[in-house]
Amino acid sequence: MSAETVGNFVECPLCRASHTPTKGELKDGVYASTCQNCGHFFKFKVTGILKSSVTFTINGISFTVGNQYAAALSLNEFMRSQGVSYGTKAMCIEGGCGVCLVTTTLYDPITKAVQTYTVNSCLVPLYTCDGMQVTTIEGLGNPRDGLHPIQDRLAQYNGSQCGFCSPAQVMNMYGLLKRTPKPTMQQVENAYDAVICRCTGYRPILDAMKSFASDAPPTLPGGAIDIEELDKKICSKTGKTCTGRCSSERQTDLEQVPLNIVLQGSQWYKPTTRQQLYALLGQHQADNYRLVFGNSGFGVYKEIGPWMYNVLIDLRGIQEFYDISIESSKVMFGPSITLTNMLEVFEKNSTNPALSYFRDFASHVAYIGNIGLRNLGSWAGNLMLKNLHTEFPSDVFTMLETVGATLFIGSSDGSEKSYSLMDFLKLDMKGKVILSLTLPTFPSGDVYVKTFKITPRHQNAHAYVNAGFRMQLNRSNNFNVKTKPSLVYGGINKTLVHASNTEAFLQGKQLGDASVLKAAIASLSAELIPDATAGLSSTAYRKNLAISLFYKYVLGMCGEKAAARFQSGGTNLIRPVSSGTQTYDTRKDEYPLTKPMVKADADLQTSGRVQYVGDIPPVPNEVCAAFVISSVGNADIDTVDTSVAMSYPGVIKYISAADIPASRNNFRGPPGGVEELFCSGRVLYSGQPIGLIVAVDQLSADTAASMVKVTYKNVQPPIITMEDAIQKKSIFPNVAQEYKVGDAAAAIAGSDKQITGSVKIKHQYHFHLEKQFCLCYPAEDGVGVHLHCPTQWSDSVQQAVAALLNIQESSVSVKVKRLGGAFGAKITRANLPACAAAIATYITRRPVRLSVDLHTNMKAVGGRFPYLATYTVGVNNDGKLNGIQLTSNADCGATPNDCPLAGFPDFMDNAYYCPAWDFKPVALKTNLPANTLCRSPGTLPAIFIMEAMMDHVAKELNMDPLEFRKINLFTKGQKSAFGLVLKYCNIKDIVAQLETSADVTARKKQIAAFNQANRWKKKGIEVMPLRWNMDYGKDIFNVYVTIYHGDGSVALSVGGVELGQGLNIKMMQVCAFELGIPIDTIKVKPTTTFTNSDSFITGGSRASDVNALGVVQCCQQLKTRMDPVKAKMSNPTWQQLVAQCYAQGVDLSARSSTYPTGDFSNYNIYGATCTEVEVDILTGENQINRVDLLYDCGESINPDVDIGQVEGGFVMGLGYFLNEEMIYDPKTGTALTDGTWEYKPPMGKDIPIDFRIQFLKNAPNPRGVLRAKAVGEPPLCMSVSALFAVKHAIEAARKEITQDTFFRLDGPATVEVIQTACQLDTSQLVYGT
């Protein structure tokens, strides 16, 4: 039985598996072979050359890969698993977070040469890398051999905090400079849409990168670099700066050779001609195959991930698919043209009058995905997503259909045919491939095209609704619509593309006629019927938005018909390049204290050299683990079937509650109630861990975990809202106690006005870029365990693991060097992976690596507590507060262990004096993951609630909000609601200073004038004070300092953990100051439960203060011992003194266990913020035009670090109040926003355009440590001002329709919430008078 040849591949006649002939000196002839799949012996005839391996380079080192890996293995997984690049990080594994960025060479069809592009390595299948030259962060530079200019610039600008995203930020800029050597600042900001940073607030990152721009101002020093500096890479052979003599950046071989690799369970093909592709499509038409190019779609739809297919066909080798042609009557793109290529063609040809719509298309494409995705993904791949999922809001489809583009599609039988995009939607693409796209030209000059995309975030976000409009207008005839127009929508429902009825109505009508506009809007309103999307965005909003976009288009085209104040509705918000200023004092007489300094590990972070726990290389016999989680939120487990999972290759063990004695099935550790490690029966929430799969590698563990089949019984509707919990009286008792000051009821009753209301704020996910993780090794005695765990509280991990395993705490060691972000998520929640890894190690007696993937983490671990507050305020007509009754309902989720309600009285009055309070805390029980501590956990919502009450009362009194606030500000000596005497209160002075420096009075007048002149754009401004109480009394941190007698160098270790907040550099500064030695002689060592045993949490902004106290105490001990020796010496050097002390037996090590008490450990931080915003009333889009922030930092130990904390905290708060929203399925309680597709923390274009930070000068802290004040969390609370500035803009819009009364604005005030609050309806969409 002989084989058939299909294209250049050999097909087994028995099982039909395709094969590649063995490489060698073969000529045409008949050969024999054994099938690699079924073992059948057959003969075949060779007629050409095929490859069965891929070869590529990483940092100049060549790698050849055969069939030893899975087809779905990504470049990122390969590099990290093989130890090639630990600096390249992994987090979301769907192209949304950007920490995996590298550069690679790809064919550029415009220049017809190979160029360097930034790409998401988590999306690049390893087997598509044939011929590529990949560069990672390690290939650019390192501190020992020399930093690359980009690495150095980012470090010097303090653009790294936790450092987890820093390598990707560098690689993004490297890719930009490789293709655009002299970019403008605008081009830089546009390119920075790929990498999320939760720490810095983006400003220093953007400043560092804009310093390379051709138009960078003197305030951004550094300057552009030439191509020689840009390519100063580290040679892979010598480890030194590459001279270019040993090798060069060779061009990727364009002489493509067909590829076929038979892998376990799948095959990989790479044809080089259309005919070869047709042959493969014909051969595998009935098989489960997928065409591969950008591979970005599985970030949206998991079922199209490459792991779901057994035949994968790589299209990158077909050269004709890269064709581009521009003719007078049409423009043609081949299917392998990436979105980046397409954008460049649009920009280059936008000045052609017949292609004027290319300018709009270029702007639109720039907001599709992010730069890494646009560099990888093709327009054809994007359309295929739309073909598979018609509900997908494809921007590409909407744009192309707007102008009537056509597709040319080929079939496996060789037939080729033209299709409209509408026909394409209905076409079964099995056995077919898109060959080209044809776009029309409009030479008449009277065709007007405009597209829109309205998103939850300014960058890297899918559309709520996108739309495209095309009309041929006779402007001289009252904008007569000469031909049938095109009104195209995405995001409305699965079937609607064209507003066909409205298109038909408009043909021949005069669009400048107000009655035509009104009728067209009525027609749209009738035919736009949105689908429900399970709570992700409302049908009402998407319908209103769709109609508003049509109106926006009309105003843009027929603006002269509209009244002047209506015309701005036809334009989008315009965001200029952002900038920032930072002003602070230092004291040179105290240096290195108060000296602005780069973080200790900045160079290591920006060069990718720092090691996080996930970067620790595997050890022999190590295994990996993955959680099995529940899919419903209020039920009993019926059955757990692991048979399929256990039969998966590489799976070793399934661990569940049955493997743990019931009394020890708890990961929480003291203090707190029991939280089961694995569910023992009753499922409390969807996402609750049920068990753990242990396997030989992470991919096998993750895959097998998804194969465990769990059934449920006694399934009940989950409680997922606070309102539902209140109605059903689902409450945890005795979590916090009622707190009273004076007689609030009497004070309210005796007031001129009694004002009652409510306000709500929802969840916030921490979005730490380093995942929850643990690496656990068995101890040599077979009983104890050693854990590498990124935790903020190693003492708690130690206690929880010891209790779980029923061993002594001394048998559990925990080590943590640094965290890649935490924000409270790794205080108690880090115990979950730690305990799971520990039990797996205990049972298997092997090292266990447990990495919790993003989706599992967002389902299994709670976030910031939501709150629903109700209040009654008593106030006099003069604005004086008399009494407040406040009930705060906190959504605890499944357990109340981390509930911060008990701390509310410390902060609930913010900066305002009110003599009488009655505070009632209510801890609600819902079927959601247990919520936990999140940066400024109780203070942020408490201050928001207080500010909501102040805003409400000011509105009811018809008083200016700032004037009302000023009337009630604390004065020196008054008592807070919690009874603190505010001995050093300066809040009134701070507010007055900010009013002057921010020019508040003049700007209010300017904003009022702007709002009067603009119907559809409104501005708002808010000034908000802050009082933030810091109390670290009795906090225990173990600190150790030692001096090495050989050279006098110093090492220290503190109980606090470096999270990115600059703890290490501050401790080095304190130590250097106290000992009087150079800072470069000091090193900070990892935190361990031996050296730093019994230490408290790194959280609550306390770690810098209290650990600095410990360092001071250690240094004082050392100086006390060393001073008698020094007194007998004549002006010794430090090294001489140390040597002499050692010779005399002086103990050169010191330890301190802190326990601060008294007034010293309690102080207040004051500040004020002025935030100005602008809102597009038609869409709800908004931007922050300017922020002025004045902050009392005392004498900052390191102003550079503390400024970074202010900016980062403020921007994280912007996410909380404006962007970020967790949404749960009402039927199951499952998180629907469990990844980067739906959950949107801020990015670079969400930050203030003008960001001005000022530290209060000449303001040493009379309490605390070294006259400094904490800075980690208070600035987060200052971002509340943004929400109320937005509220004032909405008030200006509501005033237009005589609705200027109080309304409640909950957080987050998303784009949807804002537009809805403006109470827009179709009757308002007119030309105006």
Side-chain angles (χ1 to χ4, degrees):
M1 198 173 183
S2 62
E4 294 182 12
T5 57
V6 181
N8 287 321
F9 309 110
V10 182
E11 184 180 286
C12 170
L14 197 62
C15 71
R16 300 186 66 79
S18 293
H19 297 70
T20 305
T22 306
K23 186 177 179 181
E25 295 293 327
L26 296 180
K27 296 182 179 179
D28 288 357
V30 177
Y31 299 88
S33 179
T34 300
C35 177
Q36 297 181 46
N37 187 49
C38 69
H40 176 67
F41 177 81
F42 62 92
K43 296 179 180 180
F44 63 94
K45 184 176 182 179
V46 173
T47 58
I49 299 174
L50 283 168
K51 294 200 310 181
S52 58
S53 63
V54 297
T55 299
F56 52 91
T57 68
I58 302 176
N59 300 327
I61 299 175
S62 180
F63 293 85
T64 298
V65 174
N67 66 351
Q68 65 266 47
Y69 299 106
L73 189 80
S74 70
L75 172 63
N76 181 276
E77 291 169 301
F78 171 79
M79 293 191 300
R80 290 188 59 83
S81 66
Q82 300 302 306
V84 176
S85 174
Y86 288 120
T88 304
K89 305 305 180 193
M91 197 277 271
C92 72
I93 320 296
E94 57 190 18
C97 72
V99 299
C100 65
L101 290 188
V102 298
T103 63
T104 189
T105 52
L106 298 171
Y107 178 67
D108 177 12
I110 299 172
T111 61
K112 300 193 183 305
V114 168
Q115 292 201 14
T116 299
Y117 291 84
T118 305
V119 299
N120 297 78
S121 63
C122 75
L123 298 180
V124 179
L126 180 66
Y127 288 103
T128 65
C129 293
D130 194 30
M132 291 184 185
Q133 298 159 59
V134 178
T135 301
T136 73
I137 190 69
E138 292 89 349
L140 296 190
N142 60 71
R144 180 172 174 178
D145 300 310
L147 291 177
H148 189 278
I150 304 174
Q151 296 170 330
D152 182 59
R153 198 77 59 88
L154 185 61
Q156 294 305 314
Y157 272 77
N158 277 287
S160 72
Q161 287 189 21
C162 83
F164 202 82
C165 76
S166 299
Q169 307 287 5
V170 170
M171 294 311 299
N172 194 20
M173 191 64 192
Y174 178 71
L176 175 64
L177 290 177
K178 285 289 286 183
R179 302 195 67 240
T180 311
K182 294 185 178 180
T184 64
M185 291 196 294
Q186 187 66 68
Q187 286 176 310
V188 172
E189 288 205 351
N190 291 346
Y192 268 75
D193 62 355
V195 188
I196 292 173
C197 177
R198 193 54 139 172
C199 297
T200 66
Y202 298 98
R203 196 277 311 163
I205 297 171
L206 293 174
D207 277 3
M209 301 315 174
K210 286 184 293 189
S211 72
F212 290 100
S214 58
D215 57 346
T219 52
L220 297 179
I225 58 174
D226 56 34
I227 195 67
E228 288 77 16
E229 288 182 280
L230 180 63
D231 283 327
K232 277 186 178 177
K233 298 180 184 178
I234 299 300
C235 176
S236 59
K237 296 181 180 179
T238 66
K240 304 294 183 182
T241 301
C242 184
T243 62
R245 290 191 294 271
C246 57
S247 64
S248 62
E249 191 175 305
R250 64 182 179 84
Q251 294 284 293
T252 301
D253 183 13
L254 298 182
E255 295 299 319
Q256 298 280 359
V257 176
L259 173 71
N260 176 219
I261 304 177
V262 180
L263 308 161
Q264 182 178 348
S266 63
Q267 295 188 72
W268 187 278
Y269 294 101
K270 186 180 181 181
T272 58
T273 67
R274 193 186 330 184
Q275 288 67 37
Q276 292 172 7
L277 174 61
Y278 286 163
L280 289 171
L281 290 175
Q283 177 186 350
H284 293 290
Q285 186 164 347
D287 296 334
N288 187 23
Y289 78 88
R290 184 187 162 198
L291 304 180
V292 179
F293 187 79
N295 195 45
S296 59
F298 74 82
V300 186
Y301 300 109
K302 296 295 177 287
E303 81 273 10
I304 63 167
W307 54 87
M308 303 295 290
Y309 298 85
N310 51 34
V311 176
L312 294 133
I313 304 171
D314 181 2
L315 300 179
R316 288 191 176 271
I318 304 176
Q319 195 63 27
E320 62 187 287
F321 279 10
Y322 293 95
D323 288 346
I324 299 173
S325 74
I326 300 173
E327 302 171 12
S328 60
S329 61
K330 63 182 180 180
V331 176
M332 190 278 291
F333 291 102
S336 293
I337 301 301
T338 66
L339 295 174
T340 294
N341 300 147
M342 184 175 259
L343 187 155
E344 291 168 347
V345 171
F346 289 156
E347 288 181 332
K348 185 177 180 181
N349 293 278
S350 62
T351 56
N352 181 340
L355 295 171
S356 59
Y357 69 90
F358 274 18
R359 185 181 302 107
D360 188 74
F361 274 22
S363 298
H364 197 134
V365 172
Y367 281 95
I368 298 176
N370 58 56
I371 193 169
L373 292 169
R374 292 191 297 272
N375 287 342
L376 277 176
S378 69
W379 63 265
N382 190 286
L383 288 186
M384 284 303 300
L385 277 186
K386 183 71 172 177
N387 176 271
L388 291 169
H389 290 270
T390 56
E391 76 280 5
F392 174 59
S394 166
D395 293 294
V396 173
F397 181 90
T398 297
M399 292 163 55
L400 300 183
E401 178 60 16
T402 298
V403 296
T406 57
L407 299 179
F408 201 52
I409 294 175
S411 298
S412 57
D413 61 6
S415 63
E416 297 174 348
K417 184 180 175 183
S418 181
Y419 291 86
S420 71
L421 283 168
M422 295 301 294
D423 289 337
F424 163 75
L425 280 189
K426 307 166 197 167
L427 189 63
D428 181 359
M429 289 296 290
K430 202 76 169 168
K432 296 182 177 66
V433 62
I434 299 173
L435 299 175
S436 66
L437 161 73
T438 301
L439 289 169
T441 60
F442 299 119
S444 62
D446 58 356
V447 176
Y448 299 90
V449 176
K450 180 68 179 173
T451 62
F452 297 92
K453 177 181 184 179
I454 309 303
T455 59
R457 182 174 64 189
H458 286 104
Q459 296 168 291
N460 195 11
H462 66 83
Y464 288 117
V465 170
N466 53 35
F469 306 102
R470 170 179 54 84
M471 295 188 192
Q472 188 173 17
L473 299 174
N474 183 346
R475 300 181 69 92
S476 62
N477 186 22
N478 203 18
F479 297 93
N480 178 258
V481 183
K482 296 164 67 174
T483 56
K484 185 179 179 181
S486 180
L487 280 64
V488 178
Y489 286 103
I492 299 298
N493 60 49
K494 292 183 179 181
T495 58
L496 185 136
V497 174
H498 282 268
S500 304
N501 295 343
T502 310
E503 289 175 344
F505 166 77
L506 283 169
Q507 185 173 354
K509 301 292 195 307
Q510 292 182 340
L511 192 57
D513 185 331
S515 63
V516 171
L517 173 61
K518 181 178 180 180
I521 288 173
S523 174
L524 273 177
S525 183
E527 68 177 315
L528 296 180
I529 311 296
D531 283 342
T533 54
L536 295 180
S537 60
S538 71
T539 57
Y541 170 64
R542 284 183 287 122
K543 179 172 182 173
N544 285 339
L545 180 58
I547 295 169
S548 293
L549 293 180
F550 170 74
Y551 176 63
K552 197 178 242 317
Y553 168 79
V554 172
L555 288 180
M557 297 303 108
C558 313
E560 63 200 63
K561 290 292 180 180
R565 64 192 307 268
F566 281 66
Q567 290 176 9
S568 62
T571 61
N572 296 327
L573 291 173
I574 298 172
R575 181 184 174 91
V577 172
S578 64
S579 63
T581 58
Q582 306 83 43
T583 309
Y584 50 79
D585 260 352
T586 66
R587 290 185 54 180
K588 292 187 177 180
D589 59 315
E590 292 186 350
Y591 279 9
L593 272 191
T594 80
K595 183 177 182 179
M597 299 180 71
V598 171
K599 286 176 72 266
D601 292 335
D603 289 357
L604 295 171
Q605 289 176 337
T606 61
S607 59
R609 297 286 163 164
V610 294
Q611 187 182 64
Y612 302 89
V613 175
D615 301 330
I616 298 173
V619 298
N621 213 31
E622 183 179 295
V623 293
C624 295
F627 281 115
V628 175
I629 60 175
S630 66
S631 59
V632 299
N634 190 5
D636 293 320
I637 294 175
D638 188 12
T639 64
V640 179
D641 183 357
T642 63
S643 57
V644 177
M646 292 304 296
S647 66
Y648 189 81
V651 174
I652 295 167
K653 181 74 176 174
Y654 174 72
I655 300 170
S656 68
D659 298 291
I660 310 170
S663 61
R664 292 193 274 114
N665 184 14
N666 177 23
F667 74 83
R668 178 61 171 84
V674 171
E675 292 186 61
E676 288 188 335
L677 176 59
F678 302 124
C679 179
S680 62
R682 185 66 189 171
V683 178
L684 302 179
Y685 62 94
S686 177
Q688 184 173 358
I690 292 174
L692 193 75
I693 288 285
V694 181
V696 294
D697 58 45
Q698 194 65 56
L699 183 60
S700 299
D702 291 339
T703 304
S706 69
M707 294 176 170
V708 175
K709 298 175 183 177
V710 182
T711 62
Y712 306 91
K713 58 186 179 182
N714 191 25
V715 179
Q716 302 294 318
I719 298 173
I720 64 169
T721 68
M722 292 180 283
E723 292 84 353
D724 196 17
I726 292 169
Q727 181 185 354
K728 295 177 179 176
K729 296 182 171 54
S730 180
I731 296 170
F732 292 109
N734 304 317
V735 172
Q737 301 305 310
E738 184 175 3
Y739 184 83
K740 290 187 175 185
V741 179
D743 188 340
I748 293 168
S751 299
D752 295 335
K753 286 186 181 292
Q754 298 81 32
I755 298 165
T756 297
S758 61
V759 72
K760 181 166 66 174
I761 186 77
K762 297 182 183 178
H763 294 83
Q764 183 179 35
Y765 175 63
H766 302 82
F767 217 94
H768 42 85
L769 292 176
E770 178 194 34
K771 294 183 281 190
Q772 295 279 11
F773 197 100
C774 187
L775 187 55
C776 185
Y777 303 136
E780 61 186 4
D781 62 5
V783 175
V785 288
H786 305 296
L787 299 101
H788 293 274
C789 180
T791 174
Q792 296 173 255
W793 196 6
S794 54
D795 182 56
S796 178
V797 168
Q798 182 185 39
Q799 291 184 69
V801 169
L804 176 73
L805 301 183
N806 197 26
I807 60 178
Q808 294 180 331
E809 289 179 34
S810 58
S811 293
V812 178
S813 64
V814 183
K815 181 178 181 180
V816 55
K817 172 68 174 174
R818 61 177 61 84
L819 271 62
F823 315 107
K826 298 174 183 177
I827 295 177
T828 64
R829 302 302 98 180
N831 294 11
L832 176 62
C835 286
I839 193 68
T841 291
Y842 192 80
I843 289 172
T844 64
R845 304 186 183 187
R846 296 172 70 170
V848 174
R849 181 179 298 255
L850 174 54
S851 173
V852 184
D853 72 87
L854 175 66
H855 298 282
T856 298
N857 194 74
M858 293 189 77
K859 291 175 180 176
V861 177
R864 189 186 295 280
F865 285 72
Y867 291 85
L868 174 59
T870 58
Y871 54 83
T872 300
V873 180
V875 61
N876 287 340
N877 289 331
D878 63 2
K880 278 282 188 179
L881 293 172
N882 294 324
I884 296 175
Q885 293 173 325
L886 172 65
T887 299
S888 286
N889 299 278
D891 181 350
C892 298
T895 72
N897 278 339
D898 293 344
C899 183
L901 273 174
F904 253 56
D906 282 6
F907 301 93
M908 63 188 182
D909 49 358
N910 191 16
Y912 312 108
Y913 176 71
C914 182
W917 280 84
D918 185 355
F919 169 68
K920 294 178 181 176
V922 181
L924 301 175
K925 180 181 181 180
T926 59
N927 296 116
L928 295 175
N931 288 309
T932 189
L933 306 172
C934 184
R935 194 175 190 174
S936 202
T939 50
L940 180 58
I943 289 170
F944 165 69
I945 292 166
M946 183 67 204
E947 292 301 327
M949 290 190 287
M950 296 297 285
D951 177 78
H952 188 175
V953 175
K955 192 69 175 177
E956 295 293 345
L957 293 176
N958 197 27
M959 291 184 70
D960 178 90
L962 176 56
E963 295 307 312
F964 172 62
R965 285 176 165 88
K966 286 161 63 175
I967 289 169
N968 291 286
L969 288 175
F970 279 118
T971 57
K972 191 176 295 186
Q974 281 184 327
K975 280 186 178 182
S976 72
F978 196 56
L980 298 172
V981 178
L982 306 180
K983 185 177 179 181
Y984 303 102
C985 178
N986 59 351
I987 186 60
K988 287 193 171 184
D989 294 337
I990 286 177
V991 170
Q993 181 177 330
L994 180 75
E995 279 191 273
T996 301
S997 63
D999 201 14
V1000 172
T1001 302
R1003 287 168 62 196
K1004 281 184 175 180
K1005 292 178 181 177
Q1006 292 165 4
I1007 287 170
F1010 176 90
N1011 289 343
Q1012 182 62 37
N1014 289 276
R1015 173 65 180 93
W1016 299 120
K1017 300 283 196 309
K1018 298 295 182 184
K1019 292 183 179 180
I1021 191 168
E1022 176 74 301
V1023 176
M1024 198 200 90
L1026 173 77
R1027 180 188 68 86
W1028 206 93
N1029 178 240
M1030 166 56 73
D1031 184 0
Y1032 47 74
K1034 302 181 181 180
D1035 283 2
I1036 296 174
F1037 286 90
N1038 256 309
V1039 177
Y1040 183 77
V1041 179
T1042 189
I1043 306 169
Y1044 295 100
H1045 73 92
D1047 62 1
S1049 61
V1050 175
L1052 62 89
S1053 179
V1054 297
V1057 180
E1058 175 62 61
L1059 316 171
Q1061 82 280 46
L1063 179 67
N1064 286 354
I1065 186 62
K1066 286 186 174 181
M1067 297 308 101
M1068 293 165 66
Q1069 288 174 271
V1070 171
C1071 184
F1073 174 76
E1074 290 292 328
L1075 296 180
I1077 60 176
I1079 197 169
D1080 59 7
T1081 62
I1082 302 168
K1083 296 291 183 186
V1084 180
K1085 301 298 182 181
T1087 300
T1088 71
T1089 47
F1090 174 61
T1091 308
N1092 314 106
S1093 58
D1094 305 324
S1095 291
F1096 194 46
I1097 65 171
T1098 301
S1101 303
R1102 58 173 44 87
S1104 293
D1105 281 38
V1106 188
N1107 285 280
L1109 173 65
V1111 172
V1112 169
Q1113 291 172 345
C1114 286
C1115 291
Q1116 289 173 345
Q1117 293 175 38
L1118 291 168
K1119 287 191 291 185
T1120 299
R1121 298 174 201 159
M1122 298 172 76
D1123 280 350
V1125 177
K1126 184 178 182 179
K1128 297 176 183 178
M1129 301 176 71
S1130 177
N1131 196 27
T1133 66
W1134 172 253
Q1135 288 86 348
Q1136 290 169 341
L1137 175 60
V1138 169
Q1140 187 62 30
C1141 287
Y1142 178 76
Q1144 295 187 22
V1146 174
D1147 184 357
L1148 293 176
S1149 297
R1151 175 186 163 275
S1152 169
S1153 181
T1154 65
Y1155 195 74
T1157 56
D1159 287 347
F1160 158 81
S1161 61
N1162 188 301
Y1163 60 84
N1164 282 278
I1165 296 155
Y1166 299 97
T1169 313
C1170 176
T1171 299
E1172 179 188 319
V1173 305
E1174 185 174 352
V1175 174
D1176 187 325
I1177 304 304
L1178 292 173
T1179 64
E1181 294 171 297
N1182 57 89
Q1183 62 187 21
I1184 300 172
N1185 289 342
R1186 177 173 162 182
V1187 167
D1188 296 79
L1189 190 152
L1190 178 59
Y1191 187 81
D1192 177 10
C1193 203
E1195 284 185 4
S1196 168
I1197 292 175
N1198 187 326
D1200 271 359
V1201 165
D1202 287 343
I1203 287 285
Q1205 287 291 285
V1206 171
E1207 292 173 327
F1210 190 88
V1211 172
M1212 184 174 181
L1214 293 180
Y1216 179 47
F1217 289 113
L1218 299 176
N1219 292 103
E1220 301 174 43
E1221 186 172 20
M1222 287 295 296
I1223 299 173
Y1224 299 90
D1225 187 319
K1227 294 181 180 178
T1228 65
T1230 301
L1232 300 174
T1233 50
D1234 64 330
T1236 58
W1237 178 249
E1238 292 291 357
Y1239 194 82
K1240 301 296 182 184
M1243 294 199 75
K1245 288 192 178 181
D1246 297 294
I1247 72 171
I1249 296 168
D1250 184 354
F1251 204 178
R1252 308 183 188 195
I1253 308 296
Q1254 183 178 0
F1255 282 172
L1256 190 66
K1257 296 182 178 181
N1258 303 314
N1261 184 6
R1263 296 179 177 177
V1265 181
L1266 297 170
R1267 300 167 299 285
K1269 288 189 176 183
V1271 73
E1273 293 175 318
L1276 190 73
C1277 304
M1278 302 173 88
S1279 62
V1280 174
S1281 57
L1283 182 138
F1284 289 102
V1286 167
K1287 190 170 189 286
H1288 297 325
I1290 298 171
E1291 287 170 348
R1294 291 165 68 109
K1295 189 175 181 180
E1296 297 271 3
I1297 54 172
T1298 66
Q1299 293 295 316
D1300 189 19
T1301 56
F1302 172 77
F1303 66 96
R1304 179 176 124 183
L1305 184 64
D1306 295 338
T1310 61
V1311 172
E1312 175 180 352
V1313 168
I1314 291 169
Q1315 198 253 22
T1316 303
C1318 291
Q1319 296 190 328
L1320 196 66
D1321 67 52
T1322 57
S1323 67
Q1324 301 165 29
L1325 305 182
V1326 297
Y1327 284 128
T1329 55

